[in-house]
């Protein structure tokens, strides 16, 4: 009998410090950086984001999301045999944020590692966990997306600092005789490294180069829409399904205009798209599990429905995953 993996619980966590566009505009003005609520809303759909306090790391946000997901799944930390954390803002250079989270959770002993695929990280991590469950290497996985992107933002660069936020989302993924995850499709093309990156690196105890996020927004936008459409179509084809079979699109929450363009290409009404970018901003690898948990808890998304998760981000990386909830 084929072995599948199912999402049995979701959770999410946002730091308490919430900044509306008005709050951010006022804060940036003190640094001589000019922007406006109108510009941010019109170009991105973002109205607010959350920033973690000093000393709060990705593993701290991930821990709260993980506890909620475990509770929803009716599991305890000791049931977990695999932890994968998708993050581009790890607590340390090493060890992995997954190891730090594992210790905070009290799930010591299970396999734990990070996936670094920037905004596609959660889709990558879920696909890897699904593969490990299918092969029998794991049976109860915790998959987390956690980011403190505020730490790598250049608050003098208005073209990027208004876009991102901090947060975490998590799912418990368990072995099952019924699906569950139906198909996934992952890609990367390293020739696009320069359009979205944090180019600095650690050397001799300091950072060489720039440790803050750089982005060519228009180049990212143009690439993102086409790649998201192709990943969505490839994933549906692998499952012998079509766009008509999708109950909900749960896209990476980067920009409402990217989501609208993708939905249009897939002939999906925006009524079938889970949108949280307005309240969270772009939380990179955390954005999909944050959106998923919000939709599950509000009752928007229901058990038995078919969801297409899709992400795109630095690398360039992109991917999609089809799952029956
Ligand atoms: N406030 C006010 N004005 C601004 C701001 C700001 N925060 N940022 C840029 N501008 C100005 C620019 O200086 C420019 O002014 P000019 O015409 O006088 O030169 C004008 O606005 C237009 O700038 P563009 O860069 O052309 O604006 P665009 O419509 O492309 O929107 C944006 C920029 C929102 C970044 C868009 O390109 C985008 O969404 N790209 C996708 C990138 C993305 O979402 N990345 C997230 C990470 S990757 C991922 O998650 C997929």
């Amino acid at each position: 009998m084929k072995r599948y993996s199912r999402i049995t619980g979701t959770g999410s966590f946002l730091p308490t410090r919430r900044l509306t566009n008005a709050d951010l505009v006022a804060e940036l003005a003190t640094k001589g950086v000019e922007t406006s609520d109108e510009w941010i809303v019109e170009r991105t759909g973002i109205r607010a984001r959350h920033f973690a306090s000093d000393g709060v790391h990705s593993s701290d946000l991930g821990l709260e999301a993980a506890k909620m997901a475990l509770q929803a799944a009716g599991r305890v930390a000791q049931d977990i045999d695999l932890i994968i954390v998708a993050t581009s803002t790890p607590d340390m250079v090493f060890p992995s944020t997954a190891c730090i989270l594992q210790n905070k959770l009290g799930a010591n002993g299970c396999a734990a590692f990070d996936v670094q695929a920037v905004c596609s990280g959660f889709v990558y991590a879920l696909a890897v966990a699904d593969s490990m469950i299918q092969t029998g290497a794991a049976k109860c996985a915790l998959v987390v997306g956690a980011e403190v992107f505020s730490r790598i933002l250049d608050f003098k660069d208005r073209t990027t600092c208004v876009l991102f936020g901090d947060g975490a989302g998590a799912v418990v993924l368990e072995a099952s005789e019924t699906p569950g995850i139906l198909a996934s499709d992952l890609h990367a093309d390293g020739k696009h490294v320069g359009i979205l990156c944090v180019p600095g690196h650690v050397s001799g105890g300091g950072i060489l180069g720039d440790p803050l996020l750089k982005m060519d927004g228009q180049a990212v936008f143009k690439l993102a829409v086409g790649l998201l459409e192709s990943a969505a179509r490839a994933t549906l084809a692998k499952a012998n399904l079509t766009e008509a079979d999708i109950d909900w699109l749960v896209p990476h929450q980067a920009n409402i205009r990217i989501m609208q363009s993708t939905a249009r290409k897939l002939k999906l009404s925006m009524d079938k798209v889970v949108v949280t970018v307005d309240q969270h901003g772009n939380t990179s690898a955390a954005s999909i599990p944050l959106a998923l948990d919000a939709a599950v808890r509000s009752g928007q998304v229901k058990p038995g429905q078919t969801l297409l998760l899709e992400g795109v981000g630095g690398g360039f990386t992109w991917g999609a995953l089809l799952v029956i909830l």
Side-chain angles (χ1 to χ4, degrees), residues 202-259:
V202 177
S203 177
I207 293 176
L208 283 190
D210 197 329
L212 301 176
L213 183 144
K214 302 274 167 287
M215 180 176 72
D216 176 346
Q218 288 192 2
V220 168
F221 196 110
K222 278 183 206 144
L223 262 179
V225 177
L227 296 177
L228 287 170
E229 183 193 6
S230 66
R233 292 199 185 285
T235 309
L236 286 165
K238 285 182 188 176
N240 289 318
L241 295 178
T242 71
E243 305 94 289
D245 297 303
I246 301 173
D247 292 307
W248 289 99
L249 182 66
V250 189
H252 168 49
Q253 308 283 317
N255 182 313
I256 191 68
R257 293 188 295 144
I258 295 180
M259 289 186 249

Side-chain angles (χ1 to χ4, degrees), residues 170-186:
V171 303
V172 175
L173 194 69
E174 297 192 52
S176 163
E177 289 176 0
T178 54
I181 293 180
L182 298 169
S184 61
D185 189 61
L186 304 178

Side-chain angles (χ1 to χ4, degrees), residues 28 33-36 39-40 43-44 118-119 149 157-164 196 213 215-222 224 228 252-255 257-258 282 284 311-314 316:
L28 290 173
V33 176
E34 196 184 317
T35 183
S36 67
W39 192 95
I40 300 170
R43 305 285 174 130
T44 71
V118 201
C119 304
F149 250 59
D157 176 8
R158 66 178 182 173
T159 67
T160 53
C161 72
V162 300
L163 304 176
F164 295 89
L196 181 52
L213 183 144
M215 180 176 72
D216 176 346
Q218 288 192 2
V220 168
F221 196 110
K222 278 183 206 144
L228 287 170
H252 168 49
Q253 308 283 317
N255 182 313
R257 293 188 295 144
I258 295 180
N282 181 346
S284 192
V312 60
F316 224 60

